[in-house]
Amino acid sequence: MTFKQFFTSSIGKKFVMGLTGLFLVSFLIVHVGVNSCIFVNDGGETFNTAAHFMSHNWVVRILEIGLFAGLILHIIQGLMLWQQNKAARPINYAVSDANKNSKWYSRSMGILGTLLLLFLVMHLSHFWVHTKQDIYFGDDNENSYEKIKEVFSVWYWVVLYVVGVISLFWHLVHGFSSAFQTLGVNHKRYTPIIKNVGIVYSVVVCVLFALMPILMFFDIIQ
């Protein structure tokens, strides 16, 4: 099998999905770490310092290009795999007890992925685009904290963000352990540990992400 044949095959697509998925998992650790600076509750000073560093450090800026490349590749491969699986079985079985073979969220990755894509577009339009506009077209004194306060003072944005985080949680619960299995890390002793680590990781990351808009909306963080 040639290099091109591998990466266009079903196995190759899953391999790319697993690799890019783990890369995005590592990015979320950094992202939630920066976001958690807001819990210091010092009027956004600590958070703005961290956000300014992330948006101006040249190493981070280079990694950002890789992040977007990995994200786009993950989305494309995910959609291709979803369409491929759907085409392989256009008609559902007459009798199926799917719950015995897989969890509902593992069968719903296409829907969860689509919800996450919509959430990502909303998130980038609110914060990433705003930051870049300040850097390239403003006075380079962006106040990310004030922008967050503005967005999360509106109840429907808070609701949509929480829904997006819930979708992220189920996506991570399945994707974390699935990525390791796809990359060949599959052992009766270690697989249960990886699954449990994935659940803990998903809970911690998503609770921290969800707390920020909720606490800001209710003025607990000021």
Side-chain angles (χ1 to χ4, degrees):
M1 182 179 290
T2 65
F3 185 84
K4 181 179 180 180
Q5 288 173 331
F6 174 75
F7 283 100
T8 55
S9 67
S10 178
I11 295 175
K13 290 187 179 74
K14 290 180 180 179
F15 179 84
V16 172
M17 282 288 290
L19 201 61
T20 54
L22 289 179
F23 175 63
L24 295 173
V25 161
S26 64
F27 160 74
L28 285 179
I29 296 175
V30 178
H31 191 25
V32 79
V34 173
N35 278 15
S36 295
C37 291
I38 211 163
F39 299 128
V40 177
N41 208 8
D42 58 356
E45 183 176 347
T46 302
F47 175 78
N48 276 337
T49 299
H52 186 273
F53 171 80
M54 294 297 291
S55 62
H56 290 73
N57 184 277
W58 67 270
V59 175
V60 177
R61 299 282 287 277
I62 292 174
L63 291 175
E64 190 177 69
I65 298 173
L67 171 66
F68 272 96
L71 181 61
I72 292 170
L73 189 57
H74 190 78
I75 292 170
I76 292 173
Q77 294 289 66
L79 291 173
M80 291 176 67
L81 279 171
W82 176 73
Q83 182 60 38
Q84 183 176 313
N85 292 335
K86 186 178 179 181
R89 194 177 64 186
I91 301 175
N92 291 329
Y93 296 124
V95 178
S96 175
D97 193 358
N99 290 325
K100 289 185 177 180
N101 301 316
S102 61
K103 301 294 185 181
W104 70 268
Y105 49 82
S106 67
R107 302 190 305 272
S108 306
M109 291 299 280
I111 296 174
L112 291 172
T114 301
L115 289 174
L116 276 177
L117 179 58
L118 296 175
F119 168 73
L120 181 64
V121 171
M122 177 180 68
H123 180 64
L124 291 176
S125 66
H126 278 154
F127 302 117
W128 186 80
V129 172
H130 168 76
T131 301
K132 297 308 175 187
Q133 285 176 337
D134 283 341
I135 292 174
Y136 295 114
F137 304 108
D139 57 8
D140 202 22
N141 291 315
E142 79 277 2
N143 192 324
S144 299
Y145 178 76
E146 288 300 323
K147 180 60 179 178
I148 289 174
K149 282 182 63 177
E150 176 188 337
V151 172
F152 293 146
S153 65
V154 182
W155 69 267
Y156 53 81
W157 289 133
V158 175
V159 171
L160 288 174
Y161 267 85
V162 172
V163 170
V165 171
I166 292 172
S167 300
L168 175 63
F169 171 76
W170 292 115
H171 197 83
L172 288 174
V173 166
H174 169 75
F176 190 97
S177 59
S178 179
F180 281 97
Q181 290 185 23
T182 299
L183 297 176
V185 184
N186 192 3
H187 190 278
K188 63 180 180 179
R189 176 181 295 179
Y190 304 120
T191 296
I193 297 175
I194 292 173
K195 287 184 178 179
N196 289 331
V197 170
I199 291 172
V200 172
Y201 166 88
S202 303
V203 169
V204 172
V205 166
C206 292
V207 166
L208 289 174
F209 275 138
L211 277 177
M212 187 173 69
I214 293 173
L215 295 183
M216 295 200 76
F217 180 75
F218 288 104
D219 289 328
I220 297 174
I221 295 176
Q222 298 180 1

